[in-house]
Amino acid sequence: MRGGLSMACPWAMEVDIGTQHRGTETRQRLLDGALTVFARSGPSGFTMTAVTTESGVSVGSLYHHFGSFDGLSAALYSRCMSDLLDSLIAELVRCRTARTGVKAMAAAYLRWVGRHRAQAHFIHASAYSGFLPAHAEELAVEKTPRMQAMSDWMTPHVEAGRVVALSPALIEMLVIGPVAETSRRWLSAAPGIDLDEAAKVLPERIWQSVRGEHG
């Protein structure tokens, strides 16, 4: 009996791993398809029918993996936001001084937006959508540790007086707010907005806005 069970377990594990792999692959196809649809058609064309047609995945599978179209949208938002934050953290951890770190984050944000227009557009277009508050807890699982990593890097500089002593939320507004607004206007094709020019001008001015007494 034991021999029969031991022979069956590896087979069962292979089946389970195969099922998980197919599930992951299906999720990725839906997310990739959703981003493709959004990039091509914008918010007005971002529909369940368009996404399932583009991805070749059934509506039933979409509901199975994401619960709803809003669930899919939240997962796509989380993927885009995580990629953006990871790019900021990657630049930040290379920096030793407060000045180079703040400037690097601002420049990295603009650079990421220029290279990932569809993802950036989806993030900004989702700002006032209903799915964000409805999936806040799920989104926080991915976002909170990344925001904490940036805050942890900044805290010693705040304590040493190199960065102004404000709450993390206010420091975030001063550092990310200007580049986020610049990006939003660039994405909406507002006149007079150039990301390359902004990347040359804004980082130093952003640093001056958060520079502490010993910065």
Side-chain angles (χ1 to χ4, degrees):
M1 181 66 71
R2 286 184 179 179
L5 286 174
S6 65
M7 290 294 290
C9 285
W11 176 83
M13 290 176 63
E14 288 177 6
V15 171
D16 187 52
I17 292 171
T19 301
Q20 290 178 2
H21 177 74
R22 286 192 296 274
T24 300
E25 186 179 65
T26 300
R27 285 177 59 90
Q28 290 303 117
R29 284 171 60 192
L30 282 163
L31 291 168
D32 291 344
L35 186 60
T36 298
V37 168
F38 187 86
R40 181 176 62 231
S41 306
S44 62
F46 187 65
T47 65
M48 184 185 301
T49 299
V51 170
T52 53
T53 300
E54 175 67 32
S55 63
V57 178
S58 69
V59 172
S61 289
L62 185 152
Y63 273 86
H64 172 73
H65 289 286
F66 297 102
S68 65
F69 190 63
D70 277 359
L72 169 65
S73 300
L76 179 58
Y77 178 89
S78 182
R79 188 173 79 167
C80 294
M81 180 60 75
S82 294
D83 190 59
L84 168 59
L85 295 178
D86 285 345
S87 72
L88 301 188
I89 292 168
E91 292 296 323
L92 191 60
V93 297
R94 296 191 182 103
C95 301
R96 285 190 170 185
T97 70
R99 179 175 182 267
T100 56
V102 168
K103 291 180 66 175
M105 274 200 296
Y109 191 108
L110 294 168
R111 188 164 54 248
W112 186 89
V113 169
R115 293 174 179 173
H116 303 89
R117 183 171 189 142
Q119 292 96 316
H121 189 194
F122 189 79
I123 289 173
H124 284 269
S126 301
Y128 301 103
S129 62
F131 70 78
L132 289 184
H135 293 81
E137 290 186 8
E138 302 162 42
L139 294 170
V141 171
E142 296 295 326
K143 186 175 182 179
T144 299
R146 291 172 167 86
M147 297 301 295
Q148 187 63 50
M150 291 190 286
S151 179
D152 289 345
W153 185 93
M154 194 72 70
T155 296
H157 295 293
V158 173
E159 292 175 345
R162 293 184 289 268
V163 172
V164 65
L166 296 172
S167 69
L170 287 178
I171 292 176
E172 179 191 348
M173 292 301 101
L174 289 170
V175 175
I176 301 300
V179 289
E181 177 61 16
T182 299
S183 300
R184 186 191 68 78
R185 295 190 185 192
W186 180 77
L187 290 164
S188 63
I193 302 298
D194 181 85
L195 290 186
D196 290 334
E197 180 185 9
K200 293 176 183 177
V201 173
L202 289 180
E204 177 62 28
R205 283 157 176 76
I206 289 171
W207 159 244
Q208 294 300 329
S209 74
V210 298
R211 181 179 181 179
E213 183 179 353
H214 303 297

